[in-house]
Amino acid sequence: MGWEAWYTLAVTALIVGTLAFGRVGADIVFVGGVTLLIAAGIISEEEALQGLSESSLVTIGALFVVAAGLQETGAMAFLSQYVLGKPSTERAAQARIMLPVAIMSAFLNNTPVVAVMMPVIGDWSKKYGQSVSRLLLPLSYAAILGGTCTLIGTSTNMVINDLLIQAGNPGLGMFEIAWLGLPVSLIGIAYVILFCGRLLPDRRPAISHGDDAREYTIELLVEPGSPLVGRTIEEAGLRHLQGVYLIEIDRSGHVLPAVSPQERLQANDRLVFVGVIDSVIDLQKIRGLQPAPDQVFQLKSPRSERRLLEAVVSTSCPLVGKTIREGRFRTVYNAAVIAVARNGQRLEKKIGDISLWPGDTLLLEAHPSFLERQKNSRDFFLVSMLEDSAQPRHERAWIALGILAAMVTVVSLDFMTMPLAPMLAAGLMLIFRCCGGSDARRAVDWQVLIVIAAGFALSKAMASSGAAEGVSDMLVKAVGNNHPYLALAAIYFIAMVFTNLITNVAAAVIIVPIAIKTANDIGVSQLPFVMAVMVAASIALATPMSYQTNLMVYGPGGYRLTDYVKLGAPLSLILWIVTVLLAPQIWPFNPLGG
């Protein structure tokens, strides 16, 4: 190897080491590494920027918008609640979570799938007495495993497909990887269900919805024609809610206290709940419920554009001493009060009849511009917008699901190419207002796209500098020309270690050039090597920092690093053996040119 190869390997080692410590963002690390390669003349500026034009980059960006449409319409939450049901055992609960999540993550980005499912599973686990620490990590693993079943399942699959095309091979079909990914996923899910109870402790989460001391009383109206009408409280999922409970129903002026779980809901019922803020936000998103105060219906902005805000009434507020109705709060502030918290005291009056006191915390529904108008106002001590408080566009949920189904269908039947179908699907999500333009922009994870673009430049440097050839030569000498299985096992093992130390895309772009060169040196087809790397780089199970969904469940599940190692490391080794044995049976070690 010349100095260029050694320099490239040194930059690669620097990138891997920096990412392993996790103190600098992956996008900054990769861009810094590519800059060092440009400065040394290993790759040109044009070669460094070629990654920005790769089809996988466009596809991934569009899929972020598709996922935003499903999330903003509540379609994902609806599907999640529909399939979870009532588990009889802990293993049944894990199966009910893992199988549907694996299916969803095969077609959607894993991060929004897990983000939507986490609060659903938190409430569900408390309702049915399940341990959340034995459900959230299986949730993350299911999303990771399901992503190996289709070409669009993870960004890693699409990046590797582009690298495969660059090496002179035909691109992969939508479900081609499923021949390997499906058995790997089923084995992984079965392993978790069988051994999760033994390997994961029943641990109290570090973060709890019920830790908030502010308790609101809120009235919600059952909309006429909503799916809740005719259901019992139990069937509607309004019993045993986490952090909130139903205290009474106001039905045409007749109050039903101590509501029975078998009480059937009717149109225009006013449901009175008491609970903490996080739970109140979740209530607002239930399809068929909306705030009962009349002021809400008179706000000018559409409900899908409104957000929930908290405002603390100051001593100089002109409405102090007046009821909310007398003070004409909606007219003065263009915001509707939907709940009031006062020093833990339960306020029995209707919202309009509550007299405001200094220090009262108001839960408001208003346009986001309320925050800018009132954050420096003397009328309120503090004004803050609540995260994730946008109201789902439930009426468009079926449109979003239809767009997703159409996208998968046209790609599967080769009616459209991969970049075009997701781009059209993203455009339709915007045209049919399944999500707004600002929602779409926020949904795109620019850090992921920057890492992918820079990763292509690093992969180019590995190939052009001779670094991939040098590493491949050493690997072939170690295992011998006549042992493709040993070479495949070594390649998979290196990718598996890398993906658990850094990121999946980073592992892929580093290892794929080595895998391709190793296959060429041995004289066999590249496909089994590349497909093995695709699985190895996608399945990051043994550390929390290896994949974003593992980090997402870390705090809420009350996990420690050892939990990931105990459950994920043995599974990683099992899938290593399965993939090395299975991949050559699906894509044989055909001699080159044969």
Side-chain angles (χ1 to χ4, degrees):
M1 290 190 297
W3 73 267
E4 295 92 345
W6 287 111
Y7 182 87
T8 302
L9 289 175
V11 171
T12 303
L14 180 63
I15 290 173
V16 172
T18 307
L19 290 174
F21 283 106
R23 296 186 178 181
V24 184
D27 52 343
I28 296 174
V29 173
F30 264 86
V31 171
V34 171
T35 303
L36 292 175
L37 294 171
I38 296 172
I42 305 297
I43 53 175
S44 66
E45 294 176 17
E46 290 76 15
E47 289 173 324
L49 296 175
Q50 280 178 359
L52 294 172
S53 62
E54 293 292 340
S55 62
S56 61
L57 202 71
V58 179
T59 302
I60 293 164
L63 288 174
F64 278 126
V65 179
V66 173
L70 292 165
Q71 189 166 0
E72 294 298 322
T73 57
M76 288 172 64
F78 170 74
L79 288 176
S80 303
Q81 292 173 339
Y82 180 78
V83 300
L84 288 180
K86 299 178 182 179
S88 54
T89 64
E90 185 174 81
R91 286 181 176 175
Q94 291 160 356
R96 283 180 177 273
I97 290 170
M98 296 191 73
L99 290 171
V101 167
I103 294 171
M104 284 192 287
S105 66
F107 303 101
L108 298 170
N109 184 274
N110 295 343
T111 304
V113 170
V114 173
V116 169
M117 288 293 293
M118 280 177 61
V120 175
I121 289 174
D123 294 344
W124 189 63
S125 62
K126 186 169 183 180
K127 182 176 181 179
Y128 294 107
Q130 303 293 333
S131 170
V132 73
S133 65
R134 289 178 178 165
L135 298 178
L136 289 183
L137 194 53
L139 165 68
S140 176
Y141 282 7
I144 293 170
L145 291 165
T148 64
C149 294
T150 67
L151 185 59
I152 63 172
T154 69
S155 56
T156 310
N157 296 353
M158 287 179 279
V159 169
I160 292 179
N161 185 50
D162 275 353
L163 294 173
L164 190 65
I165 294 171
Q166 289 176 13
N169 297 282
L172 299 173
M174 177 71 162
F175 295 103
E176 189 168 351
I177 190 180
W179 292 104
L180 179 59
L182 187 58
V184 162
S185 298
L186 293 175
I187 291 170
I189 291 171
Y191 168 89
V192 173
I193 293 173
L194 288 174
F195 297 104
C196 182
R198 301 178 187 177
L199 298 176
L200 283 183
D202 183 356
R203 190 177 291 132
R204 177 181 171 81
I207 302 172
S208 173
H209 281 315
D211 293 340
D212 194 338
R214 297 189 310 283
E215 190 175 78
Y216 287 103
T217 301
I218 182 170
E219 294 182 28
L220 295 173
L221 186 71
V222 178
E223 298 175 339
S226 83
L228 300 180
V229 174
R231 291 188 176 185
T232 65
I233 300 297
E234 182 85 36
E235 293 169 345
L238 300 178
R239 189 168 179 255
H240 301 309
L241 295 170
Q242 183 179 11
V244 66
Y245 60 95
L246 177 65
I247 59 172
E248 66 182 33
I249 297 178
D250 184 341
R251 180 173 294 160
S252 302
H254 178 61
V255 176
L256 306 176
V259 183
S260 165
Q262 302 308 315
E263 181 68 39
R264 293 196 176 274
L265 295 171
Q266 298 181 14
N268 297 313
D269 277 354
R270 288 177 177 248
L271 312 181
V272 182
F273 292 90
V274 173
V276 297
I277 186 62
D278 287 340
S279 301
V280 169
I281 293 175
D282 293 338
L283 276 177
Q284 291 273 101
K285 296 183 177 182
I286 294 177
R287 187 179 183 186
L289 290 182
Q290 61 182 4
D294 296 334
Q295 295 185 24
V296 171
F297 305 111
Q298 300 174 32
L299 291 175
K300 298 177 182 177
S301 56
R303 192 159 188 244
S304 60
E305 296 179 6
R306 303 177 207 159
R307 300 293 183 271
L308 294 183
L309 303 99
E310 285 188 306
V312 180
V313 178
S314 74
T315 53
S316 57
C317 178
L319 272 59
V320 167
K322 299 179 181 178
T323 66
I324 293 171
R325 184 178 293 106
E326 290 171 347
R328 303 177 66 197
F329 192 99
R330 179 191 57 80
T331 303
V332 174
Y333 297 107
N334 193 27
V337 180
I338 61 174
V340 180
R342 178 179 296 164
N343 297 326
Q345 176 184 351
R346 183 178 302 171
L347 304 177
E348 302 288 352
K349 298 180 180 179
K350 292 186 178 296
I351 293 296
D353 298 329
I354 295 175
S355 298
L356 296 180
W357 294 4
D360 282 353
T361 303
L362 309 181
L363 184 61
L364 308 174
E365 186 170 309
H367 192 273
S369 60
F370 178 90
L371 180 63
E372 293 299 321
R373 296 196 309 269
Q374 300 298 333
K375 65 180 181 180
N376 295 318
S377 169
R378 297 181 61 190
D379 295 356
F380 304 103
F381 286 131
L382 177 69
V383 179
S384 61
M385 188 181 301
L386 300 176
E387 293 184 8
D388 196 29
S389 62
Q391 302 302 313
R393 309 171 191 221
H394 291 299
E395 71 282 1
R396 303 184 185 277
W398 290 109
I399 297 176
L401 289 171
I403 292 171
L404 174 65
M407 181 192 74
V408 173
T409 301
V410 297
V411 171
S412 303
L413 298 177
D414 291 330
F415 289 161
M416 288 187 186
T417 60
M418 182 55 68
L420 179 58
M423 288 173 65
L424 283 175
L428 290 173
M429 289 289 185
L430 293 169
I431 290 171
F432 287 100
R433 293 184 296 165
C434 296
C435 65
S438 58
D439 299 320
R441 282 188 288 271
R442 282 195 301 269
V444 177
D445 192 332
W446 298 104
Q447 184 185 47
V448 169
L449 299 185
I450 291 171
V451 168
I452 291 171
F456 279 114
L458 178 61
S459 180
K460 176 70 175 177
M462 288 285 291
S464 63
S465 69
E469 183 177 359
V471 174
S472 171
D473 288 343
M474 289 187 284
L475 183 61
V476 171
K477 287 179 182 178
V479 301
N481 285 326
N482 299 320
H483 298 90
Y485 275 97
L486 288 179
L488 183 64
I491 289 289
Y492 186 103
F493 184 81
I494 296 170
M496 178 179 67
V497 172
F498 271 41
T499 198
N500 279 287
L501 290 178
I502 48 176
T503 65
N504 49 357
V505 173
V509 297
I510 292 171
I511 304 300
V512 165
I514 298 173
I516 291 174
K517 187 61 177 63
T518 300
N520 292 341
D521 288 348
I522 295 175
V524 298
S525 60
Q526 301 169 359
L527 207 53
F529 285 82
V530 173
M531 300 302 275
V533 174
M534 189 176 285
V535 173
S538 296
I539 299 178
L541 308 173
T543 62
M545 71 286 297
S546 58
Y547 196 67
Q548 56 263 40
T549 60
N550 285 346
L551 277 176
M552 289 167 65
V553 302
Y554 187 84
Y559 296 118
R560 300 169 186 165
L561 174 61
T562 54
D563 298 326
Y564 291 80
V565 175
K566 284 192 295 185
L567 186 63
L571 178 56
S572 298
L573 296 176
I574 291 171
L575 298 181
W576 173 34
I577 297 170
V578 169
T579 302
V580 170
L581 294 176
L582 194 56
Q585 309 307 316
I586 303 170
W587 303 279
F589 287 130
N590 293 324
L592 290 180

